[in-house]
Amino acid sequence: MTTLPTLIDSHCHIVFRNFDEDLDEVASRWREAGVQALLHACVEPSEIPAIRALADRFPEMRYSVGVHPLDTEHWNDDTVSVLRRAALDDDRVVAIGELGLDLFRDKNLADQLAVLRPQLDLAVELGLPIIVHCRDAAAPMLDELQARHADGRCPSGVMHCWGGTPEEMSAFLELGFYISFSGTVTFPKASATHDCARLVPEDRFLVETDCPFLAPVPRRGKRNEPAFVASVAARVAELRGMDLEAVALSSTANARRLFRLP
């Protein structure tokens, strides 16, 4: 009997409605695939009760609380208080996010920074890592984090769904960040991501699905799910010239360290 490698899907969104009909079957598949833990990302505060209910239902799940850069309209005067209370009320909250900057879809950098900065402050206050969404925005993201790093106000965290260059990756690694690879690492034309997967230090990478988005090859274009993180890990192993077991061990240890998972 073949023993499956232990994997952690470090970023998923199973709260979305397209999992309503078959979530128990989805959970059976992730367990069969060796996924022993998953981290559910939050995009805006109204999701938090439903995500918490999922954590009640699936004991292997931990989650974050935060506001996505494309959801700035959900930011209100009391949002920091809502996020703080949610994090303090449940020790299964292990990160703040997903937060960040996205200049691919929106160009409202000032609005996004106004939502990002108080979340970074909250992460430092609570001693929690951050989950960073950064798309076409590495320069302003680095400016913000480097300025904070210089005066000791930069949280730890992960660059989720990595899609930048090796040079950009190096700058985030210097700040202490981890790099997480999603199904995009399996895409044939994602050459910069392939280079990053080869170059990232063994103690600084994670694997994720970002499901229901970005299903890996050969399921590209279909609904993604946590079980498919095994395909991500297999491609990272191939790019690094390692076996799958070694990539699973490293990525799992790194996720446990970053998020202080049990």
Side-chain angles (χ1 to χ4, degrees):
M1 179 174 158
T2 303
T3 302
L4 290 166
T6 298
L7 291 160
I8 291 177
D9 182 357
S10 66
H11 193 110
C12 65
H13 302 273
I14 59 172
V15 78
F16 287 10
R17 297 301 303 271
N18 55 354
F19 287 107
D20 284 355
E21 299 299 317
D22 65 340
L23 190 51
D24 285 328
E25 290 88 347
V26 168
S28 293
R29 287 194 290 272
W30 83 56
R31 289 163 179 160
E32 289 166 5
V35 179
Q36 294 193 353
L38 44 108
L39 202 153
H40 197 301
C42 172
V43 298
E44 51 101 352
S46 70
E47 287 189 327
I48 295 172
I51 296 173
R52 185 185 300 125
L54 286 172
D56 292 339
R57 184 171 167 187
F58 302 112
E60 62 266 53
M61 192 179 115
R62 299 294 182 271
Y63 65 102
S64 68
V65 295
V67 178
H68 191 285
L70 297 178
D71 286 278
T72 56
E73 74 273 13
H74 295 292
W75 190 267
N76 300 302
D77 291 343
D78 68 340
T79 300
V80 165
S81 298
V82 170
L83 299 178
R84 179 186 293 108
R85 177 48 53 199
L88 292 173
D89 280 351
D90 189 349
D91 61 9
R92 295 172 299 185
V93 174
V94 296
I96 301 298
E98 103 188 56
L99 50 77
L101 299 172
D102 190 319
L103 301 180
F104 177 81
R105 291 271 300 277
D106 283 346
K107 306 302 180 190
N108 58 338
L109 179 59
D111 291 342
Q112 292 185 37
L113 285 168
V115 169
L116 170 66
R117 286 168 174 155
Q119 294 187 85
L120 295 175
D121 291 339
L122 180 63
V124 172
E125 173 194 334
L126 298 179
L128 290 175
I130 56 173
I131 298 170
V132 182
H133 173 106
C134 183
R135 191 170 187 195
D136 284 8
M141 195 77 223
L142 281 166
D143 287 345
E144 183 68 27
L145 295 177
Q146 285 167 344
R148 288 170 171 268
H149 192 265
D151 60 13
R153 295 183 304 117
C154 184
S156 62
V158 59
M159 307 305 297
H160 119 81
C161 193
W162 181 252
T165 66
E167 294 76 21
E168 291 164 348
M169 180 180 75
S170 178
F172 287 112
L173 288 169
E174 284 180 21
L175 293 169
F177 279 78
Y178 290 71
I179 306 296
S180 183
F181 296 98
S182 69
T184 55
V185 79
T186 71
F187 297 174
K189 295 181 180 178
S191 56
T193 306
H194 300 161
D195 290 341
C196 290
R198 293 184 185 101
L199 294 167
V200 68
E202 190 166 344
D203 62 350
R204 299 286 282 282
F205 73 88
L206 310 182
V207 290
E208 62 169 270
T209 59
D210 199 17
C211 66
F213 313 110
L214 299 173
V217 174
R219 301 177 181 90
R220 189 173 182 181
K222 297 182 168 62
R223 184 192 69 175
N224 201 1
E225 60 179 75
F228 300 167
V229 76
S231 295
V232 177
R235 180 59 175 142
V236 171
E238 184 180 359
L239 289 163
R240 293 176 70 81
M242 300 167 64
D243 61 42
L244 176 58
E245 179 68 26
V247 163
L249 285 170
S250 294
S251 61
T252 294
N254 297 341
R256 291 196 190 286
R257 185 187 320 114
L258 174 62
F259 297 118
R260 299 194 285 273
L261 299 176

